[in-house]
Amino acid sequence: MNRASYVSNIRTLLQDQEIYNELLGGKEELTDSEITLALMMELEYYNNVPPALDQYELEDFPAPYQLINGAAGRSLLSVCNRHDRNRLEYNDGGVSVRVNDKADRYRPMAAAMLQEWREFVLRHKVSRNMAGFTDTYSPMGRGRGTYDI
């Protein structure tokens, strides 16, 4: 999957599309560059978590859904930062207006997505590590690169 496909899928998952953003004047809440940064941060996270078995690029990542989920969570955290920084509450004559107040609702969604992603990374790395171990060691003396005991 290429970068543009990832960005499009993340937008769809987050429902960050012009048609759904009436209160934003029909604009997307996240820019393509913000989503791309989130993608690259999570791909780098995967590549740097030990053990260093494989180094992936966007195009050859083995589980695109999981990377989309992790990058969507990271993107939501970015939106939370913006909303926290720009939060405005105004009250005049009993009429209250709150602008940029979604951070408290977005943060749990972001945390859940990132938790699922982090758990996937750990399970995937353990699985890949175990697969590498069984390919190189066999107590029965069979297989590639075996050791007889």
Side-chain angles (χ1 to χ4, degrees), residues 110-120:
M113 289 173 158
L114 286 170
Q115 179 66 29
E116 183 179 329
W117 163 245
R118 302 279 191 257
E119 288 172 7
F120 162 78

Side-chain angles (χ1 to χ4, degrees), residues 3 7 10 30-45 58 67 70-72 74-75 78 81:
R3 184 193 64 81
V7 169
I10 291 167
L30 290 158
T31 66
D32 286 357
S33 63
E34 288 170 324
I35 294 173
T36 299
L37 176 61
L39 263 170
M40 300 315 296
M41 288 174 71
E42 296 312 314
L43 182 63
E44 186 173 327
Y45 173 82
L58 289 176
L67 182 55
R74 176 67 56 196
S75 295
S78 177
N81 290 340

Side-chain angles (χ1 to χ4, degrees), residues 71-121:
R74 176 67 56 196
S75 295
L76 277 178
L77 279 183
S78 177
V79 172
C80 288
N81 290 340
R82 181 174 33 244
H83 282 241
D84 282 340
R85 199 176 53 252
N86 295 309
R87 183 175 293 191
L88 171 68
E89 296 182 26
Y90 180 74
N91 188 338
D92 185 19
V95 175
S96 296
V97 176
R98 297 174 72 185
V99 178
N100 289 318
D101 66 339
K102 295 183 185 97
D104 295 337
R105 287 177 274 167
Y106 285 179
R107 198 167 277 112
M109 291 186 289
M113 289 173 158
L114 286 170
Q115 179 66 29
E116 183 179 329
W117 163 245
R118 302 279 191 257
E119 288 172 7
F120 162 78
V121 170

Side-chain angles (χ1 to χ4, degrees), residues 132-149:
F133 176 74
T134 58
D135 280 350
T136 58
Y137 171 80
S138 171
M140 303 305 289
R142 287 184 233 115
R144 187 184 69 189
T146 61
Y147 301 93
D148 290 324
I149 297 176

